[in-house]
Amino acid sequence: KEQLVESGGGSVEVGGSLRLFCESFDTSLLIRCMGWFRGRDGKRELVAKLGGPGDIGAYSDAVKGRFAISRDHVKDTVSLQMNNLKPDDSGTYFCFMSYVESVCERSDASKITFWGQGTPVSVSS
């Protein structure tokens, strides 16, 4: 059974919107953070992350003001609302989570253990 299951994504034109959703199926431990990386050309870069209740989240400079991340701390789900999409936003979006605070702080993909299966986003001009 998958630990993290994603939905959403798809193809839109420039300026369009998409919403990604991710649900964790292991709630045995306290999740310290959840978020999204974008994979492209063999690399993963952080898009947005959100910690515990009260955390305002963190975004890459490229998406600030256009994307909004939210979490349901009871249901252990995370969503990413993507607005005013640009072609450079295209890629495969991977949901992640961590039980370790230091991993959340560093946002280092190589240290993250739990990933979703990835969902493609394509923005055409």
Side-chain angles (χ1 to χ4, degrees):
K1 188 176 183 180
E2 296 288 344
Q3 180 100 14
L4 292 169
V5 177
E6 303 172 23
S7 60
S11 298
V12 294
E13 294 183 347
V14 168
S17 297
L18 288 171
R19 186 175 182 87
L20 306 182
F21 182 81
C22 176
E23 182 175 8
S24 170
F25 286 91
D26 182 357
T27 58
S28 58
L29 298 174
L30 178 64
I31 297 174
R32 297 296 182 181
C33 66
M34 299 183 78
W36 301 86
F37 275 74
R38 182 177 62 234
R40 194 161 57 193
D41 299 327
K43 298 179 181 179
R44 293 187 185 187
E45 57 181 0
L46 179 72
V47 175
K49 64 176 180 178
L50 192 58
D55 184 41
I56 62 172
Y59 299 87
S60 69
D61 289 341
V63 307
K64 282 180 183 176
R66 299 188 296 119
F67 290 14
I69 188 171
S70 58
R71 272 184 69 183
D72 185 320
H73 298 282
V74 174
K75 297 180 179 179
D76 286 330
T77 62
V78 63
S79 297
L80 185 68
Q81 179 65 41
M82 305 186 293
N83 298 323
N84 191 19
L85 282 161
K86 303 176 180 180
D88 280 350
D89 295 321
S90 299
T92 300
Y93 283 68
F94 294 91
C95 173
F96 77 93
M97 71 172 191
S98 180
Y99 300 119
V100 182
E101 192 64 42
S102 60
V103 173
C104 295
E105 291 174 357
R106 297 192 188 111
S107 302
D108 182 348
S110 67
K111 304 297 184 183
I112 293 172
T113 304
F114 300 103
W115 294 97
Q117 77 277 16
T119 186
V121 170
S122 176
V123 184
S124 58
S125 57

